[in-house]
Amino acid sequence: SEPSESQINDLAGKLTVAGRCRIVVTETACPVKSADTVASRTGSATAKIPSSVSSQRQTRDYFDLLDSIVNAIGSSLDRLCR
């Protein structure tokens, strides 16, 4: 289930104080609303990554899975740096 608004506020506050959050990672199979909210409140980007080899059509093996994860994080960093 999705976290409550108070849980999101608490997490966003802690990440803001820490000042080191650049990417909020979530799985592609999960709703992204909470991750997008935390990212927005902390000035971060959201990276939606596959959770397993079978979670995406183009992912055929473990190496494809790792490529997908690295590409998702890289794309998020690119958006953040613009």
Side-chain angles (χ1 to χ4, degrees):
S1 73
E2 289 285 300
S4 69
E5 187 67 25
S6 65
Q7 290 171 318
I8 291 171
N9 289 336
D10 184 49
L11 177 59
K14 288 177 181 177
L15 292 173
T16 300
V17 169
R20 295 180 177 219
C21 181
R22 299 293 177 253
I23 298 177
V24 177
V25 177
T26 186
E27 294 179 347
T28 53
C30 297
V32 297
K33 181 182 174 191
S34 297
D36 285 343
T37 301
V38 171
S40 173
R41 292 181 185 176
T42 59
S44 304
T46 304
K48 298 166 188 85
I49 64 168
S51 57
S52 67
V53 171
S54 62
S55 65
Q56 292 183 319
R57 286 185 194 162
Q58 69 270 23
T59 307
R60 296 177 311 270
D61 57 31
Y62 185 71
F63 297 107
D64 288 341
L65 176 65
L66 292 178
D67 283 342
S68 294
I69 292 169
V70 169
N71 290 335
I73 292 171
S75 294
S76 295
L77 286 173
D78 284 345
R79 285 192 309 275
L80 190 61
C81 293
R82 290 181 193 164

